[in-house]
Amino acid sequence: MKEIVQAAEIAGAWAATDPKTRAAVITGVADALDAAGPELIAIADAETRLGTKRLTGELARTTFQLRLLAAESGSSYDVRIDRADPSWPPGPRPDLRRYRTAVGPVLVFAASNFPFAFSVAGGDTAAAWAAGCPVVVKAHPGHPELSRRTASIVVEALGRWGALLGLVEGEAAGVEALRHPAVAAAAFTGSVAGGLALARIAADRPVPIPFHGELGSVNPVIVLPGAAEARAEELATGYAGSLTLGNGQFCTNPGLVFAPSSGPFVDLVAERLRAVTAGSFLNDRIASGFETVAERLSAIPRMREIVGGAGARLLEIDLADFVPDVAEECFGPLGVVVRYSRLSDVVPILAALPGQLTTTVHALDSEAGDAEALRPVLADRSGRILWGGWPTGVAVTAAMQHGGPYPATTSPASTSVGTAAVDRFLRPVSYQDWPSHLLPEPLRDDNPWGVPQRFS
């Protein structure tokens, strides 16, 4: 596979670039994408039906994260230097110098629902480049023309570093690429079934590789009684907006809500959902999958349909009737409300849920004690815990954690959003007693690249 061969040939040279050079190259890609924005947005809208407003914002996020990760390329080495110490207990300590270096070529599986931000030049690609890794992207079939045009613009912007990006298309080509011995890591955003199939391939190779998959999440929301009563209008509006954002096709879509058994909250949510115009699905396969899962959820014993029809949907079940199938992800605008009488009864249900990207608590200040009791359980089950707000906004920042226990992801210690996303594509190496002038630049005494160094 020529794309991977070319990536492997350039991998060493790219990993050896100084941070300023690396940042300038990545920033140049961001500039080129911004310049081509009107053309790319038109292609994306024709293929995904997401609308120019949404796509304009998504492209801006994509180029922002390219620039942000470019700026972080010099701080990812995590240099730790232990100078030789003959008096170190329990015996003499050698000179040890540890840093992180690029793992090698990375295979990125693009997502359907973010044709810019999780696609050819999206966050996974940006993180891999910032770590010093070339990338081969398996294009998503939902936006093939956009993938090809984006790749051509990126390769042109890369100039002499054009081999840093390769593009392959088709399921067979993706599997072939994943099995290629030169691929050192893979990143994926998509379904549980698809992600698990690829994770098995990555694990079953003669040399297994890390597979960073984001798979599925229902992002539970817990509304405490005081908030449900005092802020019913506000919460109903916020929940309906989050549930239907992008026609519910977000990995952080809040599909499961625990709400008190009495009060106006659920009726108000239903009122708002009935007023929402039916949205478009990204493709027919996703639309069909939504209908299949919606029917399966509706058929759970004692599940009640509150809002049905062709648009957003709302189901309801009592906590006493909760079964694990209630927490199945339905990729689209469908919410399930679980009615509870005592908050204490919710805790064991939350503790038994599969891993999640996010969990959210809505409570009054006077309910802080009850909310504090929930916190350890939510932290155990999810990667990001919100106090108020809604999970569909994922900020691209240093402190963002977009990951969680399985099946939210296959690698809960990592994130696919934010500057820490670079960590997925680095591996540590220690040098012992090497002459300083022979060490990699980040480990040298004169520190020619000016990277942060930590001494002990």
Side-chain angles (χ1 to χ4, degrees), residues 28 79 134 151 196 234 288 334 351-352 443 456:
V79 175
L196 281 182
E234 170 200 340
S288 176
L334 182 146
L443 298 179
S456 63

Coordinates of all heavy atoms in Angstrom, one line a residue, residues 28 79 134 151 196 234 288 334 351-352 443 456:
G28 N 0.5 26.0 8.4 CA 0.3 26.2 7.0 C -0.9 25.4 6.4 O -1.7 25.9 5.5
V79 N 10.2 15.9 29.0 CA 11.6 15.5 29.3 C 11.8 15.5 30.8 O 11.5 16.4 31.5 CB 12.5 16.6 28.6 CG1 14.0 16.3 29.1 CG2 12.4 16.6 27.1
P134 N 3.5 10.7 10.7 CA 2.7 10.9 9.5 C 1.4 10.1 9.6 O 1.2 9.3 10.5 CB 3.6 10.2 8.4 CG 4.4 9.3 9.2 CD 4.6 9.8 10.6
A151 N -8.0 16.4 1.2 CA -6.6 15.7 1.1 C -5.8 16.4 0.1 O -4.6 16.7 0.3 CB -6.8 14.3 0.8
L196 N -15.1 -2.4 17.5 CA -14.6 -3.7 18.0 C -14.0 -4.6 17.0 O -12.9 -5.2 17.2 CB -15.7 -4.4 18.7 CG -16.1 -3.9 20.1 CD1 -17.2 -4.8 20.7 CD2 -14.9 -3.9 21.1
E234 N -36.2 26.1 32.1 CA -34.8 26.2 31.6 C -34.2 24.9 31.2 O -33.6 24.7 30.2 CB -34.0 26.9 32.7 CG -32.5 26.9 32.4 CD -31.7 27.1 33.7 OE1 -32.2 27.6 34.7 OE2 -30.5 26.7 33.7
S288 N -31.7 4.2 9.0 CA -32.3 2.9 9.2 C -31.9 2.4 10.6 O -32.7 1.7 11.3 CB -31.8 2.0 8.1 OG -32.2 0.6 8.4
L334 N -33.4 10.8 20.0 CA -34.3 10.0 20.9 C -33.7 10.0 22.3 O -32.6 9.7 22.5 CB -34.4 8.6 20.4 CG -35.3 7.7 21.2 CD1 -36.0 6.6 20.3 CD2 -34.6 6.9 22.3
A351 N -24.1 3.1 38.8 CA -22.8 2.3 39.0 C -22.7 1.1 38.0 O -21.6 0.7 37.7 CB -22.7 1.9 40.4
A352 N -23.9 0.6 37.6 CA -23.9 -0.6 36.7 C -23.9 -0.2 35.2 O -23.9 -1.1 34.4 CB -25.1 -1.4 37.1
L443 N 16.9 16.2 24.9 CA 17.6 15.7 26.1 C 19.0 16.3 26.4 O 19.6 16.0 27.4 CB 17.7 14.2 26.0 CG 16.4 13.4 25.9 CD1 16.7 11.9 25.8 CD2 15.6 13.6 27.2
S456 N 15.8 16.2 38.3 CA 15.8 15.7 39.7 C 17.1 15.1 40.0 O 17.9 14.8 39.2 CB 14.6 14.7 39.9 OG 14.8 13.6 39.0

